[in-house]
Amino acid sequence: MIKLNPKLSQKLSYTLLFMATMLAIIPVLVIIFFIVKNGASSISWEFLTSMPRNGMRAGGILPAIVGTFSIVVCAIIITLPIGVCAAIYLNEYAKDNLLTRIIKLAIVNLAGVPSVVYGLFGLGIFVMFLKLGVSIIAGALTLSIMELPVIITTAKGALNSVPQSFREASLSLGVTRWQTIRYVVLPNALPGILTGAILSIARISGETAPILFTVAVFYVPNLPNSIFDQVMTLPYHLYIVSTQIPNMPKNVIYGTTLVLMMMVLTMSFVAIFGRAYFRKHRKW
Amino acid sequence: MSKIEIKNFNLYYGNFHALKDISISIEEKRITAMIGPSGCGKSTLLRSINRINDTIEGVKTEGEVNIEGVNIYNDNVDVDFLRRNVGMVFQRPNPFPISIYENVAFGLRVNRIASSKEIIDETVEKSLKSVLLWDNMKDKLHKSALTLTLEQQQRLCIARGIAVAPHIILLDEPCSSLDPVATREIEELMIRLKDDYTIVIVTHNMQQAARISQDTAFMLLGKLIEFSKTDKIFTNPSKKETDDYVSGRFG
Ligand SMILES: Nc1ncnc2c1ncn2[C@@H]1O[C@H](COP(=O)(O)OP(=O)(O)OP(=O)(O)O)[C@@H](O)[C@H]1O
Ligand SMILES: [Mg+2]
């Protein structure tokens, strides 16, 4: 075997590792570049704030933006409290027994279920069985079921990273277990919980399969009035304009993509900067 | 009557028998030191006196720990109230990442011992004075506790405990993360506090035990080998194991 000189092999491995990193991010950058290049021209105030016209080929995408926004907000209002409560139970109270282990295993595995399965489940349970119909609430509930394991997992991680020594310090002052959670553990875990939540929002904003059968429709002439209305959504609208309508102007497709992407990226950045800010300025 | 009377106390971590039939009487307003090689159960015994071991899963106990004649392992004992009476200071200073003032006020507020601002201010001042932090800190009360030196943080942790008015203070190697100068300062503080509190300290440092304590317990492998006046333990112990340990022949 040829023995490389150590200096050379050091250089070589560095180059290889660096190339692997590049390989990972270049496609993403190329995609973003293309979308921005082709989509930027169609973004205008009108595009963001008016209804589609001319069989979606002109006008704006306001109903899709409003639709996605309302589903996601409903979903997070449902998941966050439930997820945090479950995480507190699992991290702070649950004894390590068979039941707990089954629950934990289930949570890990639920996060891996394909999203179309959740979509069909939502159709069966919320739309048909509970007779919610194709509606914001049915879609939000479906997304909630899908996102709950993720929220529980990130919240549990955030709770778990609060040092045990803080808990012991609080308990040793005669503070009860619940008060310790309330005044010591939760404030310390909050930044982590919130970033997890924002990343979840970002993720579900782009989901298509779960909302396909439960809330999204091809076209509605009005904005929604209540959570029992059907709505258009960005990911589904994107699917429609790119595949279902002949003679679709390309800039509408790229514009819609850009809006969806900006929405998701903005939320991710908010999460990242929020976390950094909390770390620096934490009162806790 | 002894302040703390431990009788035939056993503790198990799951199947591991960590404390074996410990009996010991700790007197009021003295410093009692617990020494012994690493892993002999000093921390476990100390943590049994405020039942903070309860938070570890799989811990079982037998026997009694009586404080002022009441067995704290009785079912009807209010553990939170017990812990208010028996303060604890840990090996690594663990102030909360909030202001100095809020750290000391924490127990008062959360336990709803006091709600009026005057009383809280007063207690914070008194507690910081008794750990000799007040003069340096009175103008920086709203700075984060994490800006303090380790020694100051440890003093702050003692003050935080004192604020809820315990009569016993348990300290688990409180100086092990401090330099020698800071260690001496904390030792002097403990000697001052002895007049008002019953102090039990675990230490690895035999000189420290000799310098500050009146009574010393020597433990080995989960058993209490010898307990008597500190002078006697260090100059004329009655057990061979104690002699070997304090003269540095092992451990
Ligand atoms: N949570 C736990 N679960 C299982 N065993 C434990 C646990 N905590 C401590 N032990 C074991 O109990 C024994 C006594 O531990 P303890 O921490 O009381 O010793 P120590 O005398 O304080 O030692 P050190 O001087 O290193 O702090 C050790 O053998 C340790 O491994
Ligand atoms: Mg120890």
Side-chain angles (χ1 to χ4, degrees), chain B residues 31-47:
Chain B
I31 300 181
T32 302
M34 296 190 191
I35 60 170
S38 192
C40 68
K42 307 179 292 292
S43 300
T44 305
L45 182 57
L46 193 75
R47 292 162 58 89

Side-chain angles (χ1 to χ4, degrees), chain A residues 1 5 41 101 147 165 173 221 223 245-246:
Chain A
M1 214 179 102
N5 118 8
S41 64
R101 263 177 266 161
E147 213 45 27
S165 69
L173 296 171
L223 294 179
I245 301 173

Side-chain angles (χ1 to χ4, degrees), chain B residues 123-140:
Chain B
T123 315
V124 168
E125 177 172 344
K126 217 171 73 199
S127 309
L128 286 174
K129 275 186 174 151
S130 64
V131 298
L132 308 177
L133 268 183
W134 177 254
D135 289 335
N136 281 335
M137 293 301 147
K138 59 172 182 268
D139 304 318
K140 308 176 197 161

Side-chain angles (χ1 to χ4, degrees), chain A:
Chain A
M1 214 179 102
I2 314 162
K3 274 246 188 297
L4 287 175
N5 118 8
K7 274 250 161 56
L8 190 65
S9 80
Q10 148 90 2
K11 261 221 158 75
L12 205 67
S13 47
Y14 172 82
T15 314
L16 271 171
L17 298 173
F18 180 72
M19 301 248 290
T21 313
M22 278 300 142
L23 222 56
I25 74 163
I26 282 174
V28 181
L29 292 179
V30 170
I31 292 171
I32 293 179
F33 174 77
F34 259 95
I35 294 172
V36 173
K37 180 166 169 280
N38 294 306
S41 64
S42 51
I43 304 285
S44 64
W45 189 243
E46 200 211 337
F47 188 67
L48 297 175
T49 58
S50 62
M51 308 294 285
R53 275 182 286 109
N54 191 13
M56 325 259 200
R57 292 184 191 82
I61 54 168
L62 180 66
I65 296 177
V66 171
T68 290
F69 187 76
S70 44
I71 301 167
V72 166
V73 167
C74 283
I76 208 72
I77 289 174
I78 298 167
T79 21
L80 198 56
I82 301 177
V84 171
C85 289
I88 291 176
Y89 172 75
L90 288 173
N91 201 59
E92 308 290 327
Y93 287 103
K95 294 240 158 55
D96 185 25
N97 55 27
L98 189 66
L99 178 69
T100 311
R101 263 177 266 161
I102 291 173
I103 295 176
K104 287 184 180 166
L105 195 70
I107 288 172
V108 171
N109 286 301
L110 278 175
V113 172
S115 54
V116 65
V117 175
Y118 286 105
L120 290 168
F121 174 81
L123 174 69
I125 298 289
F126 301 124
V127 177
M128 285 150 71
F129 182 73
L130 292 178
K131 302 202 167 60
L132 294 171
V134 173
S135 61
I136 294 178
I137 186 69
L141 285 167
T142 310
L143 286 176
S144 298
I145 302 248
M146 190 182 88
E147 213 45 27
L148 205 49
V150 180
I151 294 269
I152 294 175
T153 310
T154 53
K156 195 166 156 290
L159 294 169
N160 201 21
S161 68
V162 176
Q164 192 60 28
S165 69
F166 287 179
R167 292 184 177 83
E168 287 191 342
S170 173
L171 291 172
S172 77
L173 296 171
V175 174
T176 62
R177 202 139 160 227
W178 166 245
Q179 302 275 60
T180 297
I181 293 171
R182 165 76 183 71
Y183 291 105
V184 178
V185 181
L186 271 181
N188 271 291
L190 201 61
I193 294 174
L194 289 182
T195 25
I198 298 174
L199 290 176
S200 274
I201 296 178
R203 207 176 77 98
I204 58 180
S205 323
E207 278 292 345
T208 317
I211 55 173
L212 193 58
F213 315 116
T214 53
V215 48
V217 289
F218 191 86
Y219 175 73
V220 273
N222 309 318
L223 294 179
N225 282 323
S226 82
I227 53 172
F228 299 103
D229 286 351
Q230 315 178 330
V231 285
M232 296 168 65
T233 73
L234 280 171
Y236 186 55
H237 185 67
L238 184 58
Y239 164 74
I240 288 165
V241 293
S242 9
T243 61
Q244 306 294 304
I245 301 173
N247 307 324
M248 196 69 201
K250 280 275 175 285
N251 65 341
V252 174
I253 302 177
Y254 278 111
T256 310
T257 316
L258 186 58
V259 170
L260 179 57
M261 199 180 73
M262 292 307 290
M263 220 166 130
V264 173
L265 285 182
T266 313
M267 280 187 277
S268 302
F269 279 124
V270 167
I272 290 162
F273 286 121
R275 183 161 42 192
Y277 178 85
F278 268 120
R279 286 230 175 101
K280 231 171 134 207
H281 298 259
R282 67 177 175 182
K283 205 161 165 349
W284 266 98

Side-chain angles (χ1 to χ4, degrees), chain B residues 32-140:
Chain B
T32 302
M34 296 190 191
I35 60 170
S38 192
C40 68
K42 307 179 292 292
S43 300
T44 305
L45 182 57
L46 193 75
R47 292 162 58 89
S48 303
I49 303 176
N50 68 348
R51 292 189 56 175
I52 197 98
N53 274 334
D54 290 15
T55 56
I56 298 172
E57 217 173 317
V59 167
K60 285 194 304 286
T61 62
E62 291 161 3
E64 296 176 11
V65 175
N66 296 293
I67 294 183
E68 293 176 341
V70 177
N71 180 8
I72 60 167
Y73 283 86
N74 275 346
D75 290 338
N76 58 4
V77 164
D78 176 347
V79 180
D80 301 310
F81 190 69
L82 162 75
R83 293 195 189 126
R84 224 198 269 174
N85 286 315
V86 185
M88 182 163 229
V89 176
F90 300 82
Q91 191 163 347
R92 284 201 60 78
N94 57 358
F96 299 126
I98 46 178
S99 73
I100 297 168
Y101 180 93
E102 288 300 327
N103 261 282
V104 185
F106 183 84
L108 297 173
R109 283 204 218 277
V110 176
N111 287 331
R112 303 211 175 81
I113 297 172
S115 55
S116 89
K117 176 138 173 34
E118 288 97 77
I119 296 178
I120 294 181
D121 281 350
E122 211 172 279
T123 315
V124 168
E125 177 172 344
K126 217 171 73 199
S127 309
L128 286 174
K129 275 186 174 151
S130 64
V131 298
L132 308 177
L133 268 183
W134 177 254
D135 289 335
N136 281 335
M137 293 301 147
K138 59 172 182 268
D139 304 318
K140 308 176 197 161

Side-chain angles (χ1 to χ4, degrees), chain B residues 3 11 133 183 217:
Chain B
K3 185 81 178 172
L11 186 143
L133 268 183
T183 300

